[in-house]
Amino acid sequence: MRATKAVIDLKAVEHNLSVVKTLAPKSNVMAVLKANAYGHGLANVARAIPQQEAIAVACMDEAEILRSSGVKNEIILLEGFFSEEELKQVVELELQTVVHQDSQVNQLEKLSEDSSTNPKIVVWLKYDSGMNRLGFDEQSYTEAFNRIQKLQAVKEIRFMSHLACADDIHDPMTSIQLKSFTQLIAGLKGDRSLANSAGVIAWPETHFEWVRPGIILFGCSPLLGVSGEAHQLKPAMTLQSQLFAIKNLAPGDTVGYGASWQAKSNTRIGVIAIGYGDGYPRHAKEGTPVLINGKEYPLVGKVSMDMITVDLGIDDDFELGDVATLWGQGLPVEKIAHFADTIPYTLFCGVTSRVKFEWYD
Ligand SMILES: Cc1ncc(COP(=O)(O)O)c(C=O)c1O
């Protein structure tokens, strides 16, 4: 059987959450588990988040998965509700919602007028402090606040914004966003949230009452050029497969599609059962490390759909079936992301359904 699997260490998630709590000791945590918990498995990862912490997801489908698997934590919809129907589900599933545009305020007003059920919603009013993606600008923020605070259907208004450049500790944008957010809500009473993982680690002044860590929970550093180990984080996902064929090559022999790699001397090529059909990055460069028996070997040749090839050199202490680690324990995903010109987020989210997932508490 093809041994390609993602092993998810839920203890590592718990550990990483404890690192967040140490870094932001006065803040509540909203664990960001959108996109299937960054590809780690939403309902299973939620088990590692204690009930007193909140969980943030992108959309209703994700919130439904959590509620239907018995998750009782506070759940926040980061993109808010997309329709009146969804607003009703916010009430039914007892969710909290981000409100970032007028159409949502209109729908909240309508709900307040129509409602016989007396809903009590917690709204996170989102300010666009510079990301220019979601959120109200200064003037419309105050207007939206004034409209929402009158509504019966709204129990509480909380304040949030999102940082665009916090991964770069030298970028002045974070201080500008912080200042603008703080000034805007000065004098308003309510919980505040600004920090993503990078904010948690590098910008303590952004912690406020709630931090919103995502990638850090899975063991990665959000900071440019830094790996999770530097913050005592542990990798939650280890992507593994096995060595299932070995080829002897003579000088001049080539490997794979396009014959892009050529042996300079006698060598052995190891074939590993993983490819872009499993989510291994197609653009991983020659030299991307693969860990076999505790040693890193370089990727050579093009990544295929189901296989990759590594140069084993003249080592011969291999057996077919030896475990190959693509990232995770012993091989930081940040390193692979670097070789593939991408970020760990896309590697995690890109692991496909062909890969078997195993979760360990
Ligand atoms: C609104 C919001 N908050 C927090 C996060 C968590 O970000 P990170 O994974 O960088 O911690 C995200 C993720 O993109 C987000 O969209």
Side-chain angles (χ1 to χ4, degrees), residues 32 34 38 78 126 133 162 196-197 212-215 345:
V32 179
K34 60 186 185 164
Y38 291 48
L78 286 177
K126 185 155 186 180
R133 205 175 54 174
H162 193 41
N196 53 6
S197 295
R212 306 193 306 270
I215 194 77
Y345 300 70

Side-chain angles (χ1 to χ4, degrees), residues 48-70:
I49 310 297
Q51 208 175 309
Q52 69 269 22
E53 316 294 353
I55 297 177
V57 291
C59 56
M60 187 59 73
D61 288 353
E62 296 172 344
E64 282 179 321
I65 290 172
L66 289 173
R67 283 289 183 249
S68 65
S69 53

Side-chain angles (χ1 to χ4, degrees), residues 61-294:
D61 288 353
E62 296 172 344
E64 282 179 321
I65 290 172
L66 289 173
R67 283 289 183 249
S68 65
S69 53
V71 169
K72 302 267 189 298
N73 304 53
E74 289 178 31
I75 297 176
I76 295 96
L77 292 178
L78 286 177
E79 292 175 5
F81 50 95
F82 281 64
S83 63
E84 272 181 47
E85 258 330 290
E86 281 201 358
L87 178 55
K88 286 185 191 138
Q89 284 179 285
V90 166
V91 177
E92 276 161 29
L93 299 178
E94 296 182 41
L95 309 177
Q96 301 179 8
T97 181
V98 165
V99 168
H100 59 83
Q101 60 188 355
D102 279 334
S103 60
Q104 293 171 320
V105 182
N106 298 342
Q107 284 163 355
L108 278 169
E109 284 177 340
K110 189 154 183 289
L111 179 77
S112 289
E113 283 159 20
D114 294 353
S115 192
S116 49
T117 52
N118 195 22
K120 290 288 170 217
I121 304 170
V122 174
V123 162
W124 287 86
L125 194 58
K126 185 155 186 180
Y127 171 50
D128 182 358
S129 57
M131 185 93 167
N132 283 317
R133 205 175 54 174
L134 291 187
F136 295 95
D137 63 22
E138 258 169 63
Q139 198 193 328
S140 53
Y141 194 85
T142 311
E143 284 164 13
F145 175 81
N146 289 335
R147 286 171 67 192
I148 294 172
Q149 69 161 348
K150 295 189 195 119
L151 301 182
Q152 273 207 12
V154 175
K155 177 166 82 173
E156 189 181 336
I157 306 179
R158 299 179 175 176
F159 310 108
M160 71 177 291
S161 189
H162 193 41
L163 296 172
C165 305
D167 56 336
D168 181 352
I169 56 171
H170 302 296
D171 198 310
M173 178 87 167
T174 303
S175 307
I176 294 168
Q177 288 190 273
L178 171 64
K179 194 168 165 210
S180 151
F181 178 59
T182 317
Q183 280 173 352
L184 178 73
I185 58 171
L188 299 180
K189 269 217 165 60
D191 286 4
R192 299 158 296 174
S193 179
L194 186 56
N196 53 6
S197 295
V200 169
I201 289 183
W203 305 89
E205 60 280 39
T206 64
H207 288 178
F208 294 114
E209 285 76 29
W210 291 85
V211 291
R212 306 193 306 270
I215 194 77
I216 192 176
L217 297 175
F218 305 104
C220 287
S221 173
L223 303 184
L224 297 175
V226 181
S227 82
E229 284 167 337
H231 316 292
Q232 282 75 50
L233 298 170
K234 295 184 181 168
M237 178 192 289
T238 297
L239 185 66
Q240 289 180 341
S241 187
Q242 64 182 174
L243 180 66
F244 79 107
I246 297 177
K247 289 252 162 223
N248 293 312
L249 262 61
D253 287 346
T254 61
V255 174
Y257 288 117
S260 61
W261 186 83
Q262 192 169 44
K264 292 190 177 66
S265 51
N266 287 326
T267 193
R268 310 179 82 206
I269 292 297
V271 186
I272 317 285
I274 194 160
Y276 62 79
D278 305 286
Y280 192 83
R282 166 78 173 76
H283 293 106
K285 291 192 193 79
E286 193 182 306
T288 305
V290 173
L291 193 68
I292 308 172
N293 299 334

